[in-house]
């Protein structure tokens, strides 16, 4: 139960309820059920939201079950009502993931309708190849946005002097873009470089944005000064 008040807008309250049941630690083939319910008054505005989202009622449910060591299924549903709209948004999805050797194949079929939009049926499919314990190569396709991507990611080790990187080539409708980064975790500092190559005319001829960051710290203890 929460209450917020904005000087130029007014005040309002919200009430929410969450339920989670999970027996994955007690059974060989675990399953879980999660249900969330929230109601907001029209003038309620969370502190974290700079733009009012006008949510009135939000109900969601999710079910997951592990059929065996390789196959997992899931289903979810969501009902959303907003202030200022006569109808509501309704979404449903069912999916499955299958693990075979070093490959993970997952797919999801979804349906959505409401807020003045036509009913939409789409699917999402993803294939991941694990390389070692910290590197993945992933390709996926989303039919709703007509977006396909191919990427690789290496997570840094949980120790000093370790590198991590990622690269992602994305095709959305008729536009192509690329994003990548390299990160280093050292003893006295952390460093990261990001690159973002935008699309222009369907090819990688748009603006290129490169950014870098170095993070460290200063400490003084017992009259001694240190960096890191």
């Amino acid at each position: 139960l929460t209450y917020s008040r904005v000087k130029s807008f007014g005040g309002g309250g919200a009430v929410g309820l969450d339920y989670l049941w999970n027996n994955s630690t007690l059974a060989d083939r675990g399953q879980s059920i999660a249900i969330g319910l929230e109601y907001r008054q029209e003038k309620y505005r969370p502190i974290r939201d700079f733009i009012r989202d006008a949510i009135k009622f939000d109900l969601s449910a999710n079910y997951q079950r592990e059929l065996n060591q390789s196959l997992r299924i899931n289903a979810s549903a969501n009902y959303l009502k907003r202030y200022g709209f006569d109808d509501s948004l309704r979404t449903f999805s069912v999916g499955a993931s299958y693990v075979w050797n070093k490959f993970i194949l997952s797919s999801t079929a979804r349906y959505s309708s409401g807020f003045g939009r036509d009913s939409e049926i789409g699917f999402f499919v993803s294939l991941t190849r694990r390389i070692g314990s910290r590197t993945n190569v992933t390709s996926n396709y989303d039919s709703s946005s007509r977006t396909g991507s191919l990427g690789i990611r290496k997570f840094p080790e949980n120790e000093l002097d370790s590198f991590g990187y990622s690269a992602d080539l994305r095709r959305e409708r008729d536009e192509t873009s690329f994003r990548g980064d390299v990160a280093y975790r050292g003893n006295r500092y952390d460093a990261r470089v990001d690159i973002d190559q935008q699309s222009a005319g369907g090819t990688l001829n748009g603006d290129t944005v490169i950014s870098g960051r170095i993070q460290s710290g200063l400490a003084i203890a017992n009259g001694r000064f240190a960096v890191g």
Side-chain angles (χ1 to χ4, degrees):
L1 179 63
T2 58
Y3 178 84
S4 70
R5 183 173 183 82
V6 180
K7 184 177 180 180
S8 60
F9 188 70
V15 59
L17 178 66
D18 294 302
Y19 171 79
L20 174 63
W21 177 82
N22 190 331
N23 75 337
S24 59
T25 60
L26 303 175
D28 293 336
R29 299 178 181 179
Q31 56 184 330
S32 65
I33 298 175
I35 300 175
L37 172 66
E38 183 181 30
Y39 170 78
R40 298 181 181 181
Q41 291 182 319
E42 187 171 5
K43 292 187 177 181
Y44 172 77
R45 182 175 176 180
I47 296 177
R48 66 181 183 273
D49 295 341
F50 294 97
I51 300 177
R52 191 172 71 92
D53 52 21
I55 292 177
K56 181 178 182 180
F57 185 78
D58 189 1
L59 174 63
S60 62
N62 179 270
Y63 173 76
Q64 296 187 38
R65 178 160 187 169
E66 185 179 359
L67 299 181
N68 53 51
Q69 292 183 347
S70 299
L71 181 61
R72 179 186 295 269
I73 60 173
N74 63 81
S76 63
N78 179 252
Y79 176 86
L80 182 65
K81 184 74 174 178
R82 292 181 184 271
Y83 289 102
F85 290 86
D86 294 331
D87 62 349
S88 58
L89 178 66
R90 300 167 299 278
T91 61
F92 307 93
S93 67
V94 293
S97 62
Y98 183 77
V99 179
W100 176 72
N101 199 358
K102 295 183 178 182
F103 290 89
I104 304 174
L105 175 63
S106 60
S107 61
T108 302
R110 0 175 237 266
Y111 167 84
S112 63
S113 176
F115 288 166
R117 298 180 298 183
D118 294 334
S119 299
E120 182 179 77
I121 298 177
F123 67 90
F124 175 85
V125 60
S126 173
L127 178 63
T128 299
R129 170 66 158 86
R130 294 177 294 185
I131 303 175
S133 61
R134 294 186 175 272
T135 305
N136 294 331
V137 177
T138 302
S139 62
N140 55 59
Y141 178 75
D142 190 332
S143 67
S144 298
S145 60
R146 290 189 293 169
T147 301
S149 67
L150 175 64
I152 182 172
R153 176 177 295 274
K154 180 184 183 298
F155 298 94
E157 303 284 344
N158 293 322
E159 58 185 29
L160 300 179
D161 294 327
S162 63
F163 281 92
Y165 60 83
S166 70
D168 184 78
L169 182 64
R170 183 176 300 270
R171 180 76 174 179
E172 184 172 357
R173 300 184 187 275
D174 296 326
E175 299 295 334
T176 304
S177 61
F178 172 83
R179 290 182 179 179
D181 66 77
V182 177
Y184 170 75
R185 178 179 298 166
N187 182 30
R188 298 185 180 275
Y189 67 92
D190 293 346
R192 180 185 175 99
V193 176
D194 294 87
I195 181 172
D196 189 348
Q197 177 66 55
Q198 299 294 324
S199 177
T203 61
L204 293 173
N205 292 323
D207 294 335
T208 302
V209 179
I210 300 176
S211 60
R213 183 184 70 183
I214 297 179
Q215 179 178 332
S216 186
L218 303 177
I220 299 177
N222 297 325
R224 295 186 176 182
F225 176 80
V227 178

